[in-house]
Amino acid sequence: KDLEVKNVFRSSTNRFKYYRDTGPGTGDAKLTDKRKTESERTAMTFGEFLERATAASSGGGRSKEHLYLYGEPLPASVREELPMEKLMSFINIREKALKEPSEEKGPRPFLRPTSMLLWVAADDSNPSVSPLHYDLSDGMILQLQGQKRFILVEERGHESVMYPHAISGKYDRQSKIDDIKEPAKEFDKFQGVKAFQCVLNAGEALYIPFGCWHQVESPSKSVAITIRWNPFAETIRSSTSFRCIALQQIESEAPTPSLSLPPNVAEMLYRKMIQDLPKHVAKILIQRFDAEKKELQRK
């Protein structure tokens, strides 16, 4: 109970929109959902989180404060107890079609976690909701206690029909559609998009692929761990310098003396490197590049 947790999100509603603490302005288009989903991140002890979340929900749903432990990095002591080898076998990704070159002998272990996160919902009045979003990694959710309800969308990546927030804004990778079950009339292009529902019970796991849009509802006493990994991280990291050169040139509208490549050459090299990735990953990254390029040009 004395463990300090830094990712307690507070909201005036039961909806918790993730945001970046730093970075450029929102840069969003005028179209936004009218419902308020702003949340605030704060730190406290785990015991205080449980006490405040329980107290807030005891008012029969009338509380002005909703709390959700949202993607808290797992303590080292807990990570060491996870049976990683069994998890790798469970999701069967050692010898998938992702045949990236490797100097290692034998099959390459693709499950190299980039993050292991804890999610705890303790609000009895309403389920804690993570609005519609996608992640730039593969992920597996392990449900330890209670349930999680998922709505998974067939569309992947930065598609306009999903009404994504600006990449340069603090709500990157999230949709302006506040609730996929009740989208506002303004989001007319979203009509006809296929989605699937599933309920994750204690002891079950769910795999969510790179770029898959999903909305998550966590009823009270829901405890889960998310393990994320990115087998394409090395290629993406190597291409970042070309991407930044191209976008920085557009943003400054003038050559930067410290950069030796023209922006059009940097963009060509970036696209070439990305095209070597699996098609669905390359498509999403190119979508994001083109969208951010347009955002910067508008500025």
Side-chain angles (χ1 to χ4, degrees), residues 170-181:
K170 65 179 182 179
Y171 296 127
D172 181 24
R173 299 185 292 99
Q174 297 175 90
S175 175
K176 296 171 188 173
I177 302 170
D178 185 58
D179 188 349
I180 189 175
K181 294 184 292 187

Side-chain angles (χ1 to χ4, degrees), residues 3 85 101 115 122 135 158 191 203 210 244 248-249 272 279:
L3 177 69
E85 288 298 324
S115 65
D135 299 307
H158 210 76
Q191 301 299 323
F210 190 107
C244 290
Q248 284 173 358
Q249 291 290 351
K272 172 60 178 172
K279 288 184 179 180

Side-chain angles (χ1 to χ4, degrees), residues 13-14 16 57 60-62 66 121-129 218-220:
T13 74
N14 66 322
F16 296 84
S57 63
R62 296 185 295 273
H66 297 262
D123 190 334
D124 290 324
S125 60
N126 286 296
S128 299
V129 179
S218 303
S220 176

Side-chain angles (χ1 to χ4, degrees), residues 2-296:
D2 294 331
L3 177 69
E4 184 183 39
V5 288
K6 298 180 179 180
N7 283 345
V8 176
F9 275 67
R10 297 186 302 176
S11 175
S12 59
T13 74
N14 66 322
R15 316 190 74 76
F16 296 84
K17 206 161 194 172
Y18 174 80
Y19 62 92
R20 290 192 300 223
D21 289 323
T22 58
T26 58
D28 283 334
K30 293 181 180 179
L31 184 60
T32 57
D33 200 302
K34 296 178 181 178
R35 283 174 284 195
K36 180 178 175 62
T37 57
E38 187 74 26
S39 55
E40 176 187 7
R41 182 164 56 187
T42 187
M44 60 183 72
T45 66
F46 186 68
E48 183 183 359
F49 159 71
L50 292 176
E51 183 178 342
R52 287 177 59 174
T54 303
S57 63
S58 62
R62 296 185 295 273
S63 173
K64 294 182 179 180
E65 180 182 60
H66 297 262
L67 281 80
Y68 185 24
L69 186 58
Y70 193 116
E72 178 71 18
L74 277 181
S77 58
V78 178
R79 292 200 305 268
E80 291 171 358
E81 295 181 9
L82 289 175
M84 296 307 298
E85 288 298 324
K86 291 183 179 179
L87 290 173
M88 291 169 72
S89 299
F90 173 73
I91 59 179
N92 192 29
I93 60 173
R94 277 186 178 270
E95 297 185 69
K96 271 199 165 187
L98 308 174
K99 302 292 186 181
E100 288 194 338
S102 174
E103 295 179 358
E104 299 170 356
K105 295 181 179 180
R108 178 175 178 176
F110 286 105
L111 180 53
R112 293 177 175 174
T114 55
S115 65
M116 289 184 276
L117 308 173
L118 176 66
W119 309 77
V120 180
D123 190 334
D124 290 324
S125 60
N126 286 296
S128 299
V129 179
S130 298
L132 194 58
H133 67 283
Y134 67 92
D135 299 307
L136 294 175
S137 62
D138 290 290
M140 183 167 62
I141 297 92
L142 310 174
Q143 192 68 26
L144 304 183
Q145 179 178 304
Q147 293 182 335
K148 275 188 183 292
R149 294 193 290 268
F150 289 83
I151 300 178
L152 303 132
V153 179
E154 194 173 63
E155 296 287 344
R156 285 198 192 184
H158 210 76
E159 298 282 358
S160 61
V161 295
M162 301 304 298
Y163 293 90
H165 278 282
I167 292 174
S168 57
K170 65 179 182 179
Y171 296 127
D172 181 24
R173 299 185 292 99
Q174 297 175 90
S175 175
K176 296 171 188 173
I177 302 170
D178 185 58
D179 188 349
I180 189 175
K181 294 184 292 187
E182 300 178 23
K185 293 180 180 180
E186 294 94 327
F187 304 113
D188 57 307
K189 289 191 294 185
F190 184 70
Q191 301 299 323
V193 171
K194 293 183 179 180
F196 310 88
Q197 296 188 64
C198 72
V199 176
L200 201 61
N201 296 298
E204 296 179 337
L206 175 67
Y207 166 67
I208 298 183
F210 190 107
C212 175
W213 285 92
H214 55 289
Q215 177 173 297
V216 189
E217 298 181 0
S218 303
S220 176
K221 300 177 178 63
S222 173
V223 181
I225 291 175
T226 298
I227 299 175
R228 294 175 181 166
W229 67 97
N230 189 345
F232 325 110
E234 187 173 341
T235 300
I236 294 173
R237 187 163 45 247
S238 299
S239 66
T240 298
S241 59
F242 298 126
R243 179 180 177 277
C244 290
I245 290 171
L247 295 177
Q248 284 173 358
Q249 291 290 351
I250 293 169
E251 188 171 21
S252 64
E253 298 182 359
T256 303
S258 61
L259 302 177
S260 58
L261 286 177
N264 61 326
V265 175
E267 179 175 340
M268 180 186 67
L269 293 171
Y270 174 74
R271 290 178 181 274
K272 172 60 178 172
M273 292 186 72
I274 293 302
Q275 291 300 338
D276 291 336
L277 296 172
K279 288 184 179 180
H280 72 282
V281 176
K283 177 184 175 182
I284 293 169
L285 295 176
I286 293 299
Q287 283 176 339
R288 288 177 57 80
F289 177 87
D290 290 339
E292 189 167 11
K293 182 178 176 180
K294 289 179 180 178
E295 291 170 17
L296 294 171

